[in-house]
């Protein structure tokens, strides 16, 4: 079984990228993906991100167990506006997590807006995914050390494991905080192998970010020297446990 915890749907206002539903279905069919957690592309205004949230929610309703939602409004929206939309996503639409895109939304995880996300996640009982890597210094993995300590009951997923440029810092942060996890997109296989041995494969989650990256990410997991059990944790067991998922099955 394969669960993709990091994928997008919609037009990205920051990176000028169109993440299409057709790509997601093709990914599921070609590579046997059982379930995907979809988040909006980067949007700045409330109306646009609401439309993307609603589209993801409709897809999840129509295909239960194959698609799930992750909320991603701009944390710099007025606090009451941001909180209302995130609560709508989790409490009404059934979304399973919240995203902080440190780069696209210029959010420091330990700043006012960032810490508000962790407080809300604690209340709602969902994990927070945080972009790390490109976009330093806000995207530095070490920025998550203090929030992880202050919110030990909130699982925090480092997207991209520091994206190579900050991979050393990502590894150290994972060793220092037990509630830190990481999705493996854009991460080297040799790093993943060492981390799985030293930290535990149950702290890592498979993701694609871009649908056409699926084959590359799968090949990395399957060829970097991981044991069969380590691969199972990374490909689906960590995700199913952390996000409390019940995938419908392959494709």
């Amino acid at each position: 079984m394969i669960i993709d915890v990091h994928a997008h749907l919609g037009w990205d206002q920051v990176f000028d990228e169109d993440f299409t539903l057709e790509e997601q279905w093709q990914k599921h069919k070609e590579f046997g993906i059982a379930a995907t957690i979809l988040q909006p592309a980067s949007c700045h205004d409330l109306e646009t991100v609401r439309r993307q949230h609603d589209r993801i929610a409709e897809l999840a309703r129509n295909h239960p167990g194959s698609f799930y939602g992750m909320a991603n409004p701009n944390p710099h929206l007025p606090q009451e506006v941001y909180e209302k939309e995130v609560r709508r996503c989790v409490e009404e639409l059934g979304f399973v997590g919240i995203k902080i895109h440190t780069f696209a939304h210029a959010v420091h995880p330990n700043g006012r807006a960032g810490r508000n996300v962790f407080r809300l996640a604690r209340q709602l009982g969902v994990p927070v995914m945080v972009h790390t890597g490109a976009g330093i210094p806000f995207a530095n993995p070490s920025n998550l050390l203090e929030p992880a300590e202050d919110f030990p009951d909130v699982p925090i997923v480092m997207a991209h494991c520091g994206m190579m440029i900050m991979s050393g810092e990502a590894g150290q942060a994972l060793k220092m905080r037990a509630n830190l996890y990481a999705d493996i997109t854009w991460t080297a296989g040799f790093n993943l192998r060492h981390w799985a041995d030293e930290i535990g494969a149950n702290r890592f989650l498979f993701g694609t970010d871009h649908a056409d990256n699926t084959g590359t990410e799968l090949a990395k997991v399957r060829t970097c020297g991981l044991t069969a059990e380590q691969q199972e944790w990374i490909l689906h067991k960590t995700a199913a446990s952390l996000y409390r998922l019940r995938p419908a099955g392959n494709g």
Side-chain angles (χ1 to χ4, degrees):
M1 183 179 290
I2 306 168
I3 298 174
D4 180 355
V5 303
H6 188 157
H8 302 270
L9 187 66
W11 176 258
D12 194 298
Q13 296 178 338
V14 175
F15 301 106
D16 292 337
E17 180 76 26
D18 189 15
F19 297 94
T20 70
L21 179 56
E22 291 74 20
E23 292 172 329
Q24 293 303 318
W25 278 124
Q26 179 62 29
K27 175 193 74 177
H28 275 226
K29 179 180 179 181
E30 182 176 354
F31 297 100
I33 305 299
T36 294
I37 301 177
L38 289 169
Q39 58 183 270
S42 304
C43 308
H44 295 303
D45 62 288
L46 177 63
E47 292 75 16
T48 303
V49 79
R50 278 180 62 93
R51 287 195 297 269
Q52 294 196 13
H53 284 152
D54 287 343
R55 188 181 178 204
I56 292 170
E58 181 180 12
L59 183 63
R61 284 194 303 270
N62 292 338
H63 303 280
S66 293
F67 293 100
Y68 297 86
M70 179 179 293
N72 187 25
N74 188 334
H76 289 303
L77 289 167
Q79 184 170 335
E80 64 278 7
V81 173
Y82 176 85
E83 180 170 336
K84 182 178 180 180
E85 177 59 11
V86 170
R87 287 190 175 276
R88 183 181 79 94
C89 287
V90 175
E91 297 176 338
E92 298 178 22
L93 303 183
F95 283 21
V96 298
I98 310 171
K99 172 73 175 288
I100 298 176
H101 203 308
T102 53
F103 184 12
H105 289 146
V107 179
H108 193 295
N110 201 35
R112 180 197 58 80
R115 292 182 68 86
N116 182 53
V117 179
F118 296 114
R119 282 192 293 268
L120 187 54
R122 168 186 278 170
Q123 294 172 18
L124 295 171
V126 296
V128 178
M129 176 179 284
V130 183
H131 170 92
T132 63
I136 56 176
F138 283 8
N140 286 21
S142 59
N143 292 334
L144 295 173
L145 290 173
E146 191 167 338
E149 183 176 23
D150 293 343
F151 300 92
D153 51 342
V154 177
I156 302 172
V157 178
M158 294 190 294
H160 318 305
C161 295
M163 201 177 272
M164 284 301 295
I165 190 172
M166 301 299 294
S167 60
E169 193 171 294
Q172 290 300 313
L174 285 161
K175 293 175 184 177
M176 294 172 67
R177 299 288 186 269
N179 58 324
L180 285 182
Y181 299 78
D183 86 45
I184 65 169
T185 53
W186 314 111
T187 300
F190 71 89
N191 278 335
L192 181 57
R193 183 180 71 251
H194 292 320
W195 289 334
D197 290 339
E198 294 177 9
I199 302 169
N202 63 327
R203 303 278 293 282
F204 297 91
L205 306 93
F206 176 81
T208 61
D209 198 7
H210 291 247
D212 56 9
N213 188 43
T214 306
T216 301
E217 294 294 340
L218 281 173
K220 176 175 66 185
V221 174
R222 290 168 173 165
T223 63
C224 73
L226 299 169
T227 67
E229 183 179 5
Q230 287 173 329
Q231 291 184 45
E232 286 185 2
W233 277 105
I234 294 167
L235 290 176
H236 69 93
K237 290 175 71 174
T238 308
S241 174
L242 200 64
Y243 289 101
R244 299 188 290 275
L245 307 182
R246 294 184 178 179
N250 285 357

mmCIF file of all heavy atoms in Angstrom, residues 163-208:
data_model
loop_
_atom_site.group_PDB
_atom_site.id
_atom_site.type_symbol
_atom_site.label_atom_id
_atom_site.label_comp_id
_atom_site.label_asym_id
_atom_site.label_seq_id
_atom_site.Cartn_x
_atom_site.Cartn_y
_atom_site.Cartn_z
ATOM 1 N N MET A 163 14.980 19.620 2.304
ATOM 2 C CA MET A 163 15.215 19.760 0.853
ATOM 3 C C MET A 163 16.701 19.768 0.499
ATOM 4 O O MET A 163 17.187 20.622 -0.218
ATOM 5 C CB MET A 163 14.509 21.010 0.328
ATOM 6 C CG MET A 163 14.239 21.034 -1.158
ATOM 7 S SD MET A 163 13.330 22.525 -1.653
ATOM 8 C CE MET A 163 11.639 21.984 -1.413
ATOM 9 N N MET A 164 17.462 18.824 1.050
ATOM 10 C CA MET A 164 18.885 18.639 0.805
ATOM 11 C C MET A 164 19.747 19.760 1.385
ATOM 12 O O MET A 164 20.646 19.511 2.167
ATOM 13 C CB MET A 164 19.186 18.457 -0.694
ATOM 14 C CG MET A 164 18.836 17.082 -1.223
ATOM 15 S SD MET A 164 19.713 15.747 -0.357
ATOM 16 C CE MET A 164 21.415 16.076 -0.798
ATOM 17 N N ILE A 165 19.470 21.002 1.038
ATOM 18 C CA ILE A 165 20.339 22.092 1.476
ATOM 19 C C ILE A 165 20.366 22.201 2.999
ATOM 20 O O ILE A 165 21.371 22.603 3.588
ATOM 21 C CB ILE A 165 19.904 23.434 0.842
ATOM 22 C CG1 ILE A 165 20.961 24.499 1.113
ATOM 23 C CG2 ILE A 165 18.545 23.883 1.359
ATOM 24 C CD1 ILE A 165 20.722 25.798 0.360
ATOM 25 N N MET A 166 19.270 21.814 3.656
ATOM 26 C CA MET A 166 19.201 21.866 5.114
ATOM 27 C C MET A 166 18.966 20.476 5.705
ATOM 28 O O MET A 166 18.422 20.347 6.796
ATOM 29 C CB MET A 166 18.075 22.821 5.550
ATOM 30 C CG MET A 166 18.210 24.242 5.049
ATOM 31 S SD MET A 166 19.723 25.060 5.634
ATOM 32 C CE MET A 166 19.391 25.150 7.390
ATOM 33 N N SER A 167 19.414 19.433 5.001
ATOM 34 C CA SER A 167 19.139 18.076 5.454
ATOM 35 C C SER A 167 19.856 17.743 6.764
ATOM 36 O O SER A 167 19.308 17.028 7.615
ATOM 37 C CB SER A 167 19.534 17.068 4.377
ATOM 38 O OG SER A 167 20.917 17.157 4.072
ATOM 39 N N GLY A 168 21.067 18.244 6.954
ATOM 40 C CA GLY A 168 21.777 17.994 8.201
ATOM 41 C C GLY A 168 21.025 18.550 9.393
ATOM 42 O O GLY A 168 20.911 17.899 10.433
ATOM 43 N N GLU A 169 20.491 19.754 9.218
ATOM 44 C CA GLU A 169 19.724 20.381 10.288
ATOM 45 C C GLU A 169 18.422 19.615 10.529
ATOM 46 O O GLU A 169 17.984 19.475 11.671
ATOM 47 C CB GLU A 169 19.426 21.832 9.909
ATOM 48 C CG GLU A 169 18.910 22.675 11.044
ATOM 49 C CD GLU A 169 18.836 24.148 10.674
ATOM 50 O OE1 GLU A 169 19.912 24.758 10.459
ATOM 51 O OE2 GLU A 169 17.713 24.673 10.598
ATOM 52 N N ALA A 170 17.818 19.112 9.451
ATOM 53 C CA ALA A 170 16.586 18.332 9.591
ATOM 54 C C ALA A 170 16.826 17.077 10.409
ATOM 55 O O ALA A 170 16.033 16.727 11.298
ATOM 56 C CB ALA A 170 16.038 17.974 8.216
ATOM 57 N N GLY A 171 17.915 16.388 10.124
ATOM 58 C CA GLY A 171 18.229 15.182 10.873
ATOM 59 C C GLY A 171 18.449 15.443 12.351
ATOM 60 O O GLY A 171 17.982 14.683 13.210
ATOM 61 N N GLN A 172 19.146 16.523 12.665
ATOM 62 C CA GLN A 172 19.381 16.867 14.063
ATOM 63 C C GLN A 172 18.075 17.219 14.767
ATOM 64 O O GLN A 172 17.849 16.830 15.916
ATOM 65 C CB GLN A 172 20.369 18.040 14.158
ATOM 66 C CG GLN A 172 21.786 17.684 13.775
ATOM 67 C CD GLN A 172 22.357 16.590 14.651
ATOM 68 O OE1 GLN A 172 22.244 16.633 15.876
ATOM 69 N NE2 GLN A 172 22.970 15.593 14.032
ATOM 70 N N ALA A 173 17.209 17.964 14.086
ATOM 71 C CA ALA A 173 15.927 18.334 14.691
ATOM 72 C C ALA A 173 15.084 17.096 14.982
ATOM 73 O O ALA A 173 14.463 16.992 16.049
ATOM 74 C CB ALA A 173 15.170 19.278 13.756
ATOM 75 N N LEU A 174 15.072 16.140 14.062
ATOM 76 C CA LEU A 174 14.319 14.909 14.271
ATOM 77 C C LEU A 174 14.827 14.139 15.489
ATOM 78 O O LEU A 174 14.048 13.556 16.244
ATOM 79 C CB LEU A 174 14.405 14.026 13.024
ATOM 80 C CG LEU A 174 13.552 14.461 11.840
ATOM 81 C CD1 LEU A 174 14.049 13.809 10.550
ATOM 82 C CD2 LEU A 174 12.090 14.107 12.067
ATOM 83 N N LYS A 175 16.137 14.159 15.694
ATOM 84 C CA LYS A 175 16.702 13.465 16.847
ATOM 85 C C LYS A 175 16.372 14.170 18.161
ATOM 86 O O LYS A 175 16.285 13.529 19.211
ATOM 87 C CB LYS A 175 18.220 13.367 16.696
ATOM 88 C CG LYS A 175 18.680 12.470 15.557
ATOM 89 C CD LYS A 175 20.200 12.516 15.406
ATOM 90 C CE LYS A 175 20.664 11.699 14.218
ATOM 91 N NZ LYS A 175 22.136 11.785 14.021
ATOM 92 N N MET A 176 16.153 15.474 18.111
ATOM 93 C CA MET A 176 15.952 16.256 19.326
ATOM 94 C C MET A 176 14.499 16.323 19.783
ATOM 95 O O MET A 176 14.232 16.586 20.957
ATOM 96 C CB MET A 176 16.488 17.676 19.110
ATOM 97 C CG MET A 176 17.998 17.742 18.914
ATOM 98 S SD MET A 176 18.575 19.396 18.438
ATOM 99 C CE MET A 176 18.240 20.328 19.930
ATOM 100 N N ARG A 177 13.540 16.119 18.868
ATOM 101 C CA ARG A 177 12.126 16.251 19.217
ATOM 102 C C ARG A 177 11.349 15.040 18.707
ATOM 103 O O ARG A 177 11.257 14.805 17.505
ATOM 104 C CB ARG A 177 11.527 17.534 18.623
ATOM 105 C CG ARG A 177 12.182 18.820 19.096
ATOM 106 C CD ARG A 177 11.844 19.139 20.543
ATOM 107 N NE ARG A 177 12.372 20.433 20.931
ATOM 108 C CZ ARG A 177 13.581 20.630 21.473
ATOM 109 N NH1 ARG A 177 14.376 19.590 21.703
ATOM 110 N NH2 ARG A 177 13.988 21.845 21.787
ATOM 111 N N ALA A 178 10.744 14.305 19.618
ATOM 112 C CA ALA A 178 10.055 13.065 19.251
ATOM 113 C C ALA A 178 8.777 13.302 18.468
ATOM 114 O O ALA A 178 8.281 12.386 17.802
ATOM 115 C CB ALA A 178 9.744 12.262 20.517
ATOM 116 N N ASN A 179 8.210 14.500 18.550
ATOM 117 C CA ASN A 179 6.968 14.778 17.811
ATOM 118 C C ASN A 179 7.233 15.389 16.446
ATOM 119 O O ASN A 179 6.300 15.853 15.778
ATOM 120 C CB ASN A 179 6.034 15.684 18.621
ATOM 121 C CG ASN A 179 6.656 17.022 18.995
ATOM 122 O OD1 ASN A 179 7.854 17.102 19.273
ATOM 123 N ND2 ASN A 179 5.844 18.075 19.016
ATOM 124 N N LEU A 180 8.495 15.403 16.002
ATOM 125 C CA LEU A 180 8.825 15.817 14.651
ATOM 126 C C LEU A 180 8.875 14.601 13.733
ATOM 127 O O LEU A 180 9.471 13.570 14.068
ATOM 128 C CB LEU A 180 10.168 16.544 14.598
ATOM 129 C CG LEU A 180 10.212 17.978 15.112
ATOM 130 C CD1 LEU A 180 11.619 18.550 14.938
ATOM 131 C CD2 LEU A 180 9.199 18.870 14.392
ATOM 132 N N TYR A 181 8.234 14.728 12.570
ATOM 133 C CA TYR A 181 8.243 13.721 11.516
ATOM 134 C C TYR A 181 8.688 14.424 10.235
ATOM 135 O O TYR A 181 8.944 15.629 10.237
ATOM 136 C CB TYR A 181 6.848 13.122 11.332
ATOM 137 C CG TYR A 181 6.318 12.416 12.560
ATOM 138 C CD1 TYR A 181 5.786 13.137 13.634
ATOM 139 C CD2 TYR A 181 6.343 11.026 12.640
ATOM 140 C CE1 TYR A 181 5.294 12.485 14.759
ATOM 141 C CE2 TYR A 181 5.841 10.369 13.762
ATOM 142 C CZ TYR A 181 5.325 11.111 14.816
ATOM 143 O OH TYR A 181 4.847 10.464 15.928
ATOM 144 N N ALA A 182 8.802 13.680 9.143
ATOM 145 C CA ALA A 182 9.214 14.333 7.895
ATOM 146 C C ALA A 182 8.675 13.587 6.696
ATOM 147 O O ALA A 182 8.677 12.347 6.671
ATOM 148 C CB ALA A 182 10.740 14.407 7.817
ATOM 149 N N ASP A 183 8.184 14.347 5.700
ATOM 150 C CA ASP A 183 7.899 13.703 4.421
ATOM 151 C C ASP A 183 9.170 13.755 3.580
ATOM 152 O O ASP A 183 10.005 14.643 3.740
ATOM 153 C CB ASP A 183 6.674 14.313 3.734
ATOM 154 C CG ASP A 183 6.944 15.538 2.868
ATOM 155 O OD1 ASP A 183 7.901 15.536 2.081
ATOM 156 O OD2 ASP A 183 6.145 16.496 2.939
ATOM 157 N N ILE A 184 9.329 12.780 2.705
ATOM 158 C CA ILE A 184 10.630 12.529 2.077
ATOM 159 C C ILE A 184 10.779 13.146 0.693
ATOM 160 O O ILE A 184 11.745 12.848 -0.010
ATOM 161 C CB ILE A 184 10.898 11.020 1.987
ATOM 162 C CG1 ILE A 184 9.884 10.344 1.049
ATOM 163 C CG2 ILE A 184 10.849 10.398 3.384
ATOM 164 C CD1 ILE A 184 10.246 8.910 0.708
ATOM 165 N N THR A 185 9.861 14.023 0.290
ATOM 166 C CA THR A 185 9.959 14.630 -1.032
ATOM 167 C C THR A 185 11.252 15.417 -1.198
ATOM 168 O O THR A 185 11.673 16.131 -0.287
ATOM 169 C CB THR A 185 8.762 15.562 -1.292
ATOM 170 O OG1 THR A 185 8.651 16.493 -0.199
ATOM 171 C CG2 THR A 185 7.471 14.777 -1.395
ATOM 172 N N TRP A 186 11.877 15.278 -2.364
ATOM 173 C CA TRP A 186 13.089 16.012 -2.716
ATOM 174 C C TRP A 186 14.233 15.727 -1.738
ATOM 175 O O TRP A 186 15.072 16.592 -1.462
ATOM 176 C CB TRP A 186 12.815 17.520 -2.802
ATOM 177 C CG TRP A 186 11.573 17.854 -3.567
ATOM 178 C CD1 TRP A 186 10.418 18.371 -3.078
ATOM 179 C CD2 TRP A 186 11.353 17.678 -4.974
ATOM 180 N NE1 TRP A 186 9.485 18.530 -4.067
ATOM 181 C CE2 TRP A 186 10.030 18.112 -5.257
ATOM 182 C CE3 TRP A 186 12.126 17.193 -6.025
ATOM 183 C CZ2 TRP A 186 9.482 18.080 -6.529
ATOM 184 C CZ3 TRP A 186 11.565 17.157 -7.299
ATOM 185 C CH2 TRP A 186 10.273 17.598 -7.539
ATOM 186 N N THR A 187 14.279 14.507 -1.193
ATOM 187 C CA THR A 187 15.289 14.111 -0.228
ATOM 188 C C THR A 187 16.151 13.002 -0.817
ATOM 189 O O THR A 187 15.643 12.118 -1.499
ATOM 190 C CB THR A 187 14.622 13.612 1.062
ATOM 191 O OG1 THR A 187 13.833 14.661 1.618
ATOM 192 C CG2 THR A 187 15.651 13.163 2.086
ATOM 193 N N ALA A 188 17.441 13.011 -0.548
ATOM 194 C CA ALA A 188 18.351 11.995 -1.088
ATOM 195 C C ALA A 188 18.113 10.640 -0.448
ATOM 196 O O ALA A 188 17.816 10.537 0.746
ATOM 197 C CB ALA A 188 19.798 12.414 -0.858
ATOM 198 N N GLY A 189 18.279 9.581 -1.243
ATOM 199 C CA GLY A 189 18.104 8.228 -0.747
ATOM 200 C C GLY A 189 19.080 7.861 0.353
ATOM 201 O O GLY A 189 18.716 7.181 1.320
ATOM 202 N N PHE A 190 20.333 8.304 0.230
ATOM 203 C CA PHE A 190 21.312 7.941 1.265
ATOM 204 C C PHE A 190 20.957 8.566 2.604
ATOM 205 O O PHE A 190 21.173 7.959 3.663
ATOM 206 C CB PHE A 190 22.734 8.327 0.833
ATOM 207 C CG PHE A 190 23.030 9.801 0.811
ATOM 208 C CD1 PHE A 190 23.501 10.446 1.943
ATOM 209 C CD2 PHE A 190 22.829 10.550 -0.345
ATOM 210 C CE1 PHE A 190 23.779 11.803 1.928
ATOM 211 C CE2 PHE A 190 23.107 11.908 -0.374
ATOM 212 C CZ PHE A 190 23.579 12.541 0.758
ATOM 213 N N ASN A 191 20.396 9.779 2.589
ATOM 214 C CA ASN A 191 19.936 10.387 3.832
ATOM 215 C C ASN A 191 18.809 9.570 4.438
ATOM 216 O O ASN A 191 18.785 9.314 5.643
ATOM 217 C CB ASN A 191 19.452 11.821 3.589
ATOM 218 C CG ASN A 191 20.579 12.828 3.557
ATOM 219 O OD1 ASN A 191 21.632 12.602 4.142
ATOM 220 N ND2 ASN A 191 20.369 13.930 2.876
ATOM 221 N N LEU A 192 17.863 9.186 3.592
ATOM 222 C CA LEU A 192 16.716 8.433 4.077
ATOM 223 C C LEU A 192 17.156 7.112 4.704
ATOM 224 O O LEU A 192 16.651 6.713 5.764
ATOM 225 C CB LEU A 192 15.744 8.177 2.925
ATOM 226 C CG LEU A 192 14.466 7.427 3.262
ATOM 227 C CD1 LEU A 192 13.681 8.148 4.345
ATOM 228 C CD2 LEU A 192 13.617 7.247 2.005
ATOM 229 N N ARG A 193 18.097 6.437 4.079
ATOM 230 C CA ARG A 193 18.581 5.163 4.613
ATOM 231 C C ARG A 193 19.231 5.354 5.989
ATOM 232 O O ARG A 193 18.942 4.613 6.934
ATOM 233 C CB ARG A 193 19.581 4.523 3.650
ATOM 234 C CG ARG A 193 20.076 3.156 4.106
ATOM 235 C CD ARG A 193 21.056 2.544 3.132
ATOM 236 N NE ARG A 193 22.353 3.235 3.133
ATOM 237 C CZ ARG A 193 22.798 4.007 2.153
ATOM 238 N NH1 ARG A 193 22.058 4.212 1.072
ATOM 239 N NH2 ARG A 193 23.987 4.587 2.222
ATOM 240 N N HIS A 194 20.099 6.357 6.102
ATOM 241 C CA HIS A 194 20.764 6.605 7.384
ATOM 242 C C HIS A 194 19.750 6.988 8.462
ATOM 243 O O HIS A 194 19.821 6.498 9.596
ATOM 244 C CB HIS A 194 21.806 7.719 7.229
ATOM 245 C CG HIS A 194 22.978 7.345 6.376
ATOM 246 N ND1 HIS A 194 23.565 6.103 6.428
ATOM 247 C CD2 HIS A 194 23.680 8.055 5.452
ATOM 248 C CE1 HIS A 194 24.575 6.054 5.570
ATOM 249 N NE2 HIS A 194 24.666 7.228 4.962
ATOM 250 N N TRP A 195 18.811 7.861 8.117
ATOM 251 C CA TRP A 195 17.816 8.299 9.097
ATOM 252 C C TRP A 195 16.919 7.160 9.541
ATOM 253 O O TRP A 195 16.560 7.061 10.711
ATOM 254 C CB TRP A 195 16.975 9.430 8.519
ATOM 255 C CG TRP A 195 17.701 10.725 8.366
ATOM 256 C CD1 TRP A 195 18.776 11.161 9.081
ATOM 257 C CD2 TRP A 195 17.391 11.764 7.441
ATOM 258 N NE1 TRP A 195 19.159 12.408 8.657
ATOM 259 C CE2 TRP A 195 18.329 12.806 7.652
ATOM 260 C CE3 TRP A 195 16.428 11.925 6.455
ATOM 261 C CZ2 TRP A 195 18.313 13.983 6.913
ATOM 262 C CZ3 TRP A 195 16.399 13.100 5.714
ATOM 263 C CH2 TRP A 195 17.342 14.122 5.941
ATOM 264 N N ALA A 196 16.524 6.304 8.595
ATOM 265 C CA ALA A 196 15.665 5.174 8.952
ATOM 266 C C ALA A 196 16.355 4.271 9.963
ATOM 267 O O ALA A 196 15.722 3.749 10.885
ATOM 268 C CB ALA A 196 15.285 4.392 7.698
ATOM 269 N N ASP A 197 17.661 4.112 9.814
ATOM 270 C CA ASP A 197 18.429 3.282 10.759
ATOM 271 C C ASP A 197 18.632 3.985 12.093
ATOM 272 O O ASP A 197 18.497 3.371 13.159
ATOM 273 C CB ASP A 197 19.792 2.919 10.157
ATOM 274 C CG ASP A 197 19.688 1.931 9.007
ATOM 275 O OD1 ASP A 197 18.677 1.220 8.913
ATOM 276 O OD2 ASP A 197 20.641 1.892 8.188
ATOM 277 N N GLU A 198 18.953 5.275 12.063
ATOM 278 C CA GLU A 198 19.315 5.992 13.277
ATOM 279 C C GLU A 198 18.103 6.505 14.056
ATOM 280 O O GLU A 198 18.099 6.509 15.291
ATOM 281 C CB GLU A 198 20.208 7.187 12.921
ATOM 282 C CG GLU A 198 21.566 6.800 12.350
ATOM 283 C CD GLU A 198 22.372 8.026 11.953
ATOM 284 O OE1 GLU A 198 21.937 9.147 12.284
ATOM 285 O OE2 GLU A 198 23.418 7.862 11.314
ATOM 286 N N ILE A 199 17.091 6.965 13.339
ATOM 287 C CA ILE A 199 15.948 7.623 13.976
ATOM 288 C C ILE A 199 14.718 6.728 13.986
ATOM 289 O O ILE A 199 13.933 6.742 14.933
ATOM 290 C CB ILE A 199 15.629 8.958 13.255
ATOM 291 C CG1 ILE A 199 16.863 9.866 13.278
ATOM 292 C CG2 ILE A 199 14.444 9.652 13.905
ATOM 293 C CD1 ILE A 199 16.753 11.081 12.376
ATOM 294 N N GLY A 200 14.544 5.940 12.931
ATOM 295 C CA GLY A 200 13.390 5.056 12.814
ATOM 296 C C GLY A 200 12.555 5.399 11.598
ATOM 297 O O GLY A 200 12.202 6.569 11.385
ATOM 298 N N ALA A 201 12.236 4.396 10.810
ATOM 299 C CA ALA A 201 11.440 4.622 9.608
ATOM 300 C C ALA A 201 10.029 5.103 9.927
ATOM 301 O O ALA A 201 9.370 5.704 9.079
ATOM 302 C CB ALA A 201 11.373 3.334 8.777
ATOM 303 N N ASN A 202 9.583 4.871 11.151
ATOM 304 C CA ASN A 202 8.239 5.295 11.555
ATOM 305 C C ASN A 202 8.136 6.803 11.772
ATOM 306 O O ASN A 202 7.070 7.297 12.157
ATOM 307 C CB ASN A 202 7.813 4.569 12.838
ATOM 308 C CG ASN A 202 8.701 4.897 14.020
ATOM 309 O OD1 ASN A 202 9.903 5.127 13.869
ATOM 310 N ND2 ASN A 202 8.127 4.909 15.210
ATOM 311 N N ARG A 203 9.207 7.539 11.478
ATOM 312 C CA ARG A 203 9.162 9.006 11.567
ATOM 313 C C ARG A 203 9.103 9.643 10.181
ATOM 314 O O ARG A 203 9.113 10.884 10.069
ATOM 315 C CB ARG A 203 10.406 9.517 12.307
ATOM 316 C CG ARG A 203 10.586 8.933 13.713
ATOM 317 C CD ARG A 203 9.757 9.630 14.748
ATOM 318 N NE ARG A 203 10.219 10.989 14.938
ATOM 319 C CZ ARG A 203 11.306 11.336 15.658
ATOM 320 N NH1 ARG A 203 12.041 10.391 16.237
ATOM 321 N NH2 ARG A 203 11.634 12.593 15.796
ATOM 322 N N PHE A 204 9.007 8.823 9.134
ATOM 323 C CA PHE A 204 9.063 9.340 7.766
ATOM 324 C C PHE A 204 7.843 8.923 6.967
ATOM 325 O O PHE A 204 7.270 7.850 7.184
ATOM 326 C CB PHE A 204 10.350 8.869 7.075
ATOM 327 C CG PHE A 204 11.589 9.387 7.743
ATOM 328 C CD1 PHE A 204 12.209 8.651 8.749
ATOM 329 C CD2 PHE A 204 12.111 10.618 7.418
ATOM 330 C CE1 PHE A 204 13.340 9.135 9.394
ATOM 331 C CE2 PHE A 204 13.235 11.120 8.050
ATOM 332 C CZ PHE A 204 13.849 10.373 9.046
ATOM 333 N N LEU A 205 7.447 9.803 6.031
ATOM 334 C CA LEU A 205 6.233 9.589 5.266
ATOM 335 C C LEU A 205 6.498 9.825 3.783
ATOM 336 O O LEU A 205 7.208 10.775 3.408
ATOM 337 C CB LEU A 205 5.123 10.537 5.724
ATOM 338 C CG LEU A 205 4.764 10.553 7.217
ATOM 339 C CD1 LEU A 205 5.558 11.639 7.950
ATOM 340 C CD2 LEU A 205 3.274 10.814 7.405
ATOM 341 N N PHE A 206 5.900 8.989 2.957
ATOM 342 C CA PHE A 206 6.030 9.132 1.514
ATOM 343 C C PHE A 206 5.185 10.306 1.018
ATOM 344 O O PHE A 206 4.077 10.544 1.490
ATOM 345 C CB PHE A 206 5.574 7.848 0.812
ATOM 346 C CG PHE A 206 5.594 7.938 -0.686
ATOM 347 C CD1 PHE A 206 6.778 7.772 -1.388
ATOM 348 C CD2 PHE A 206 4.431 8.201 -1.395
ATOM 349 C CE1 PHE A 206 6.801 7.867 -2.777
ATOM 350 C CE2 PHE A 206 4.438 8.290 -2.781
ATOM 351 C CZ PHE A 206 5.635 8.125 -3.472
ATOM 352 N N GLY A 207 5.733 11.039 0.053
ATOM 353 C CA GLY A 207 4.997 12.120 -0.588
ATOM 354 C C GLY A 207 5.532 12.348 -1.985
ATOM 355 O O GLY A 207 6.592 11.831 -2.357
ATOM 356 N N THR A 208 4.803 13.131 -2.768
ATOM 357 C CA THR A 208 5.229 13.407 -4.143
ATOM 358 C C THR A 208 5.432 14.892 -4.404
ATOM 359 O O THR A 208 6.293 15.276 -5.168
ATOM 360 C CB THR A 208 4.200 12.864 -5.148
ATOM 361 O OG1 THR A 208 2.937 13.506 -4.944
ATOM 362 C CG2 THR A 208 4.054 11.355 -5.012
#
